[in-house]
Amino acid sequence: MTEAAASLPLPDQALVEEATKKSGLIWVRGTGPARALWHVWHEGAAHVVGDGPDEQPLPGLTAGSTAEVTVRSKDKGGRLVVWTAVVSELAPGSEVWDAAVRELKGKRLNAPDGEAMTERWARECRVLRLEPCRASTEHPDGSLAAPPLPTSATTRRPIPAALPRLLLRRGKRR
């Protein structure tokens, strides 16, 4: 544990760790809008990988900056805790990078290159450590709902003409 995490009061530290470990996604806001990121909790911090081909974007997250991390409840979806993180980039091939990547590799779903993804991460991606330094369980007034961010992964096309007939026919068979 580093100095930043040690500065959190013990109850806040425990809440941040448990909530973040159990959440599949965290919402991270650097200098731009908040983004949902998959992560792993390892050695007192959340770790994310991205900014490479076939990986999640990490805009606004730079080494030495801070980011706001919002953690939601896995069962109800409501916000549990918001914490401020110190962002650091791990150097590929270092001990801490290797340890974080071992954890990340186990959580990465549908990697296009399977076992070779760690070499690709070392060449083309960034692995960031988000270490908590301040936490808050206070909830702001009003909704924080926002329209989804634009992405090339969105495919909005008209439904096929035959789909309604197929769905209606399937319901009549019962």
Side-chain angles (χ1 to χ4, degrees):
M1 182 183 324
T2 65
E3 197 173 304
S7 67
L8 282 176
L10 198 54
D12 289 347
Q13 185 179 339
L15 175 61
V16 165
E17 182 171 346
E18 279 304 307
T20 308
K21 274 183 184 178
K22 291 182 179 183
S23 182
L25 291 174
I26 52 177
W27 291 87
V28 181
R29 180 189 325 270
T31 56
R35 289 197 175 264
L37 301 177
W38 70 272
H39 70 286
V40 295
W41 184 268
H42 178 66
E43 296 193 3
H47 292 77
V48 295
V49 63
D51 277 353
D54 300 318
E55 298 299 340
Q56 60 193 351
L58 304 173
L61 297 177
T62 56
S65 67
T66 59
E68 179 184 83
V69 179
T70 303
V71 182
R72 64 181 179 82
S73 165
K74 194 169 186 173
D75 57 346
K76 302 287 185 191
R79 179 185 14 214
L80 287 176
V81 65
V82 176
W83 49 275
T84 303
V86 175
V87 180
S88 58
E89 187 169 345
L90 305 181
S94 66
E95 267 185 53
V96 291
W97 188 89
D98 289 339
V101 164
R102 271 194 302 279
E103 297 295 319
L104 286 161
K105 183 180 173 186
K107 295 287 186 175
R108 175 63 164 95
L109 302 176
N110 304 322
D113 48 1
E115 292 298 316
M117 79 178 138
T118 56
E119 290 90 28
R120 178 173 52 85
W121 287 351
R123 281 189 322 270
E124 303 170 354
C125 297
R126 296 188 306 145
V127 176
L128 302 179
R129 177 181 171 89
L130 307 175
E131 187 169 351
C133 63
R134 189 172 48 252
S136 171
T137 55
E138 293 179 17
H139 298 290
D141 294 333
S143 171
L144 295 179
L149 296 172
T151 174
S152 61
T154 304
T155 54
R156 298 288 293 190
R157 295 185 184 144
I159 62 170
L163 187 60
R165 286 192 308 261
L166 290 172
L167 293 175
L168 287 174
R169 190 173 357 156
R170 187 177 293 169
K172 291 180 181 177
R173 290 183 189 172
R174 294 180 188 180

